[in-house]
Amino acid sequence: MRKNIVAGNWKMNTTLQEGVALAKAVNEALKGVEPKCDVIIAAPFTHLASINGVIDQNKLGLGAENCADHKSGAYTGEVSASMVASTGATYVILGHSERRQYYGETSATLKEKVGLALANNLTPIFCIGEVLEQRENGTYLEVVKTQIEEALFDLSAEDFSKIILAYEPVWAIGTGKTATDDQAEEMHAFIRDVIAKKYGNEVAENTSILYGGSCKPTNAKALFAKPNVDGGLIGGASLDAESFMGIVTAF
Ligand code: PGA
């Protein structure tokens, strides 16, 4: 059975000290509950090793927000998948729309990153999603299908099974404009069907597909109630332990 997952994406927020305090607060809050989902936080590279020292990774998974598309070498400023793994983090967000939009990440670079993440035993949280224009002109299903096919469909079924997907309509990220439950469900069911056609029903049924984009404690319950929505990738609302926990306990 596929897992329910709530993952926080801190983006470029918090100093090291603030990030460690936030991680501690989430870790502490989790002690009092038995969540019906896996809980993950993805933090800036600079914070990972320190956070690893203050959380119980049996209850709270730790991830990076990116990794390089090369193994090692003369790539000033980049952080490799093996460096991420050496901090104790076990997840990595890849293909976030902000990386695609502002840093020119393409399916070709993402394919390299996914391969390197898997080779270093990191679980990719792979993001896909359409921009507003594609939602409005009706190409959104095709756009997302292509993003998945180009970056992931050269993987073996075994490797594909290690991937967590996150559908994040770009028009919903940080805008306060959440996709409706039905819009999310339509896309998630479609994605599962695309996976089933390539890898078969069993792999498709076991793939966790998270929703992301202005997910909050107030709308998480209805989104997570949809049969193909297996949790959330949470930006803004993950920067406060209480609101993040409000989403975790929505399951
Ligand atoms: P948001 O971000 O929850 O702030 O909309 C989600 C994301 O980009 O992962």
Side-chain angles (χ1 to χ4, degrees):
M1 261 307 280
R2 59 185 182 254
K3 284 180 181 164
N4 291 329
I5 298 166
V6 171
N9 173 14
W10 291 3
K11 309 192 180 185
M12 197 174 74
N13 292 296
T14 73
T15 62
L16 173 60
Q17 291 74 20
E18 289 162 352
V20 167
L22 176 56
K24 273 186 184 166
V26 174
N27 189 65
E28 206 49 43
L30 282 168
K31 285 183 184 159
V33 289
E34 282 294 332
K36 295 191 187 73
C37 60
D38 285 4
V39 186
I40 300 163
I41 47 177
F45 295 130
T46 45
H47 302 16
L48 295 175
S50 301
I51 290 176
N52 180 45
V54 299
I55 63 171
D56 173 5
Q57 282 215 46
N58 294 316
K59 291 203 86 173
L60 179 58
L62 179 62
E65 298 171 26
N66 185 23
C67 71
D69 58 341
H70 295 279
K71 208 168 165 181
S72 65
Y75 300 99
T76 301
E78 287 294 289
V79 175
S80 71
S82 69
M83 291 173 188
V84 169
S86 72
T87 68
T90 61
Y91 296 88
V92 60
I93 296 175
L94 292 175
H96 192 282
S97 61
E98 288 149 17
R99 302 291 320 169
R100 294 177 191 259
Q101 249 184 311
Y102 308 143
Y103 300 95
E105 294 197 359
T106 63
S107 293
T109 50
L110 291 171
K111 203 164 142 177
E112 296 302 318
K113 291 183 181 205
V114 168
L116 287 163
L118 291 173
N120 286 281
N121 296 317
L122 297 173
T123 300
I125 302 174
F126 191 82
C127 304
I128 59 233
E130 81 284 1
V131 298
L132 185 61
E133 189 193 344
Q134 295 160 335
R135 168 63 53 176
E136 287 176 347
N137 69 18
T139 57
Y140 56 100
L141 295 173
E142 210 45 48
V143 165
V144 167
K145 181 174 182 234
T146 303
Q147 288 173 339
I148 295 172
E149 283 173 348
E150 286 181 349
L152 301 176
F153 274 8
D154 281 344
L155 294 172
S156 66
E158 193 191 340
D159 277 345
F160 185 87
S161 304
K162 297 172 187 160
I163 308 271
I164 298 166
L165 287 176
Y167 167 58
E168 299 203 311
V170 180
W171 46 270
I173 296 175
T175 57
K177 203 177 161 194
T178 324
T180 66
D181 321 336
D182 288 338
Q183 284 174 322
E185 175 60 17
E186 179 198 28
M187 180 60 88
H188 285 225
F190 171 77
I191 291 170
R192 207 175 297 288
D193 192 51
V194 168
I195 299 167
K197 287 198 175 99
K198 169 75 180 172
Y199 293 108
N201 276 332
E202 197 183 327
V203 171
E205 281 305 316
N206 286 327
T207 303
S208 296
I209 309 174
L210 316 184
Y211 167 80
S214 299
C215 188
K216 301 180 201 67
T218 45
N219 58 27
K221 219 181 185 65
L223 284 161
F224 297 172
K226 289 293 179 187
N228 285 292
V229 178
D230 307 312
L233 182 56
I234 319 301
S238 73
L239 293 171
D240 174 80
E242 203 179 315
S243 68
F244 186 58
M245 286 305 295
I247 297 171
V248 167
T249 53
F251 268 115

